[in-house]
Each structure stands twice: as structure tokens, then as C-alpha cells.
Amino acid sequence: MHINTSCPVYIINLDCAQDRMENMHEQLMNLNIDYTRISAVKGIDLSEAEISQVYSSALNKHYFRAGLSLGEIGCYMSHRKIWQKMVNENIEFAVILEDDLVIQNNFLNIFSNIEALKKYELVKLADNRDHSPINHKKIDEEFELVNFKKIPNCATGYTISLNGAKKLLSRKKFYRPVDIDMQFCKELDLSIYGLRPYPIAENNNFESDIATLNGGEHGTKTT
């Protein structure tokens, strides 16, 4: 019997990354959690016209230190794909996960706190650099919600409200990587928190799919 998670769980996965999806499927099925796979955008398959519709190289040169690789563009578009789905279908709240992660023992317990988490626009479920929080508050016996001086720059997994998705989509063209853009959330009047102890962690057994499958890990430095 699958767990009623009270919200959709989306997994971003490239069609060619079947081993990653098998790994995620096994982890989630072990917890009896239903999920929806979202076919990720493969940057190297995009045309110049498709890229120019969503990515601004001019703004990138002005606001960021490096041009985005095709992989970074595809990654951003994959996240946007889910945000747009939420808006189109009026989905109130969702859990979004990339496919290169390890689910921790406490992951299932986040679904006992959905009503509390729904009050926040975006809550990060991982931090690959263990940033120190400015302040924190308990939401139950296990979890605390934390506020950061510097927001972690990974997009491995997070919860997001419909309002949060709308704010992220209000940037008609992006010009930073998706995880870096989240650090500039004040530009969009978007609030971002973290949930500790983190219920997911990066899976270091997989190389970056941006680098190996999707057209380059990082862009080149702008001049």
C-alpha cells in the first residue's frame, strides 16, 4: 500500500539516465511513496530558438560570472517545467527531487508536516555545504525550519508552494543556474528556508548528468 503523501512528488530525470531513475524508484518504493517522473530537458538537444525563448545571454553577461552551459540551461528548464505544471494545474504544493540523491531515514516524516510546510514558499531539503543558519524554529519533535545568511546553492530537492512557483516563473528569462538563482530570491520577493536534519543528500556515486549527458557542467567565464 502506497503512502498518502498529501502532495505530489516529482522526480526530474533525463530519458537517457535510466540507472538514476531505477535507483530513485527503488528508494521511493521501499518507502511506498508514489511519485511522478518528469522527463528532464536535455540541453544539447535544444535549438537556438528554444534557448532564446527562456535564456538571456545579455542579462547573463551583466549579472553572472559565466555563461551558462547547455546542461545548466536544460537543468533550469526542467525545474521550470514542474513550476509551470503547478500553475497550469493549480497544484497547491509539491516536493521536487532531482535524480542524484540518497533518501535519508527521516524523509518519510516530512509528509507528516505538509500542513506546516505549505505555509512556506520554498523549503530546501538538502545542503551540500552545510551552511550555518541564522535562526531556527521547531516544527515538530524531529524537524526544525532554518533561515540562512547565505542560501545553499544546490537544487537537489525542495518543497514548493504554488505561490513560490509563480514567483520563480515571473522571471521571464533566466540568466543564472537554477540553484544560484535561488540565492537571489529577494529579487523575486521569494522566501527560502531549509529543513533540518536534511531528509535527502547528494548521491556521489553518480557523476553530474549535466556534465556527462546534458551538454557541459558549467559555462565559460564571461568577459
Side-chain angles (χ1 to χ4, degrees):
M1 181 181 296
H2 288 174
I3 302 296
N4 179 9
T5 60
S6 304
C7 71
V9 176
Y10 296 114
I11 310 296
I12 298 172
N13 171 251
L14 285 164
D15 293 344
C16 57
Q18 295 181 9
D19 55 340
R20 289 167 175 262
M21 194 63 245
E22 289 171 3
N23 180 268
M24 288 299 301
H25 175 79
E26 182 178 355
Q27 291 187 76
L28 290 167
M29 289 302 97
N30 283 342
L31 295 174
N32 292 318
I33 293 177
D34 254 336
Y35 66 88
T36 299
R37 178 187 172 273
I38 300 296
S39 180
V41 177
K42 195 171 185 179
I44 57 176
D45 290 343
L46 295 170
S47 67
E48 290 186 11
E50 288 172 319
I51 292 171
S52 65
Q53 287 180 349
V54 295
Y55 171 64
S56 172
S57 57
L59 290 173
N60 168 265
K61 288 178 181 179
H62 186 72
Y63 288 108
F64 193 56
R65 62 184 180 271
L68 268 60
S69 69
L70 292 173
E72 288 172 317
I73 291 170
C75 181
Y76 204 129
M77 291 175 68
S78 301
H79 284 265
R80 283 171 61 108
K81 193 174 182 179
I82 301 178
W83 305 338
Q84 191 63 60
K85 177 180 177 67
M86 292 178 69
V87 172
N88 292 348
E89 300 177 20
N90 198 34
I91 297 169
E92 180 184 8
F93 183 81
V95 175
I96 298 178
L97 304 174
E98 294 184 341
D99 62 2
D100 55 347
L101 59 86
V102 177
I103 293 174
Q104 304 296 331
N105 293 334
N106 61 345
F107 179 80
L108 188 60
N109 298 339
I110 68 174
F111 299 103
S112 302
N113 290 285
I114 292 299
E115 291 306 314
L117 293 171
K118 279 181 180 179
K119 299 174 184 177
Y120 302 94
E121 292 173 329
L122 194 151
V123 178
K124 291 212 168 193
L125 303 178
D127 175 9
N128 59 359
R129 298 187 183 180
D130 197 25
H131 287 70
S132 298
I134 299 173
N135 49 53
H136 53 88
K137 70 173 183 178
K138 282 281 191 181
I139 61 170
D140 70 357
E141 291 299 315
E142 180 173 16
F143 290 115
E144 63 177 9
L145 205 66
V146 299
N147 197 359
F148 301 98
K149 182 176 181 180
K150 183 177 182 181
I151 295 168
N153 66 341
C154 62
T156 310
Y158 53 93
T159 69
I160 187 168
S161 70
L162 179 57
N163 197 48
K166 288 177 179 178
K167 287 185 177 182
L168 285 162
L169 288 170
S170 69
R171 198 188 298 285
K172 299 305 179 185
K173 291 192 176 185
F174 58 84
Y175 41 89
R176 305 182 187 104
V178 61
D179 56 337
I180 302 298
D181 223 10
M182 288 178 179
Q183 293 181 317
F184 290 84
C185 57
K186 290 183 179 178
E187 294 177 353
L188 303 174
D189 191 31
L190 174 71
S191 61
I192 294 183
Y193 296 88
L195 186 69
R196 300 199 318 180
Y198 293 111
I200 60 174
E202 288 186 335
N203 187 340
N204 295 320
N205 292 325
F206 291 113
E207 293 184 34
S208 168
D209 56 357
I210 291 177
T212 58
L213 303 171
N214 199 16
E217 183 169 8
H218 299 295
T220 55
K221 188 173 182 179
T222 54
T223 56

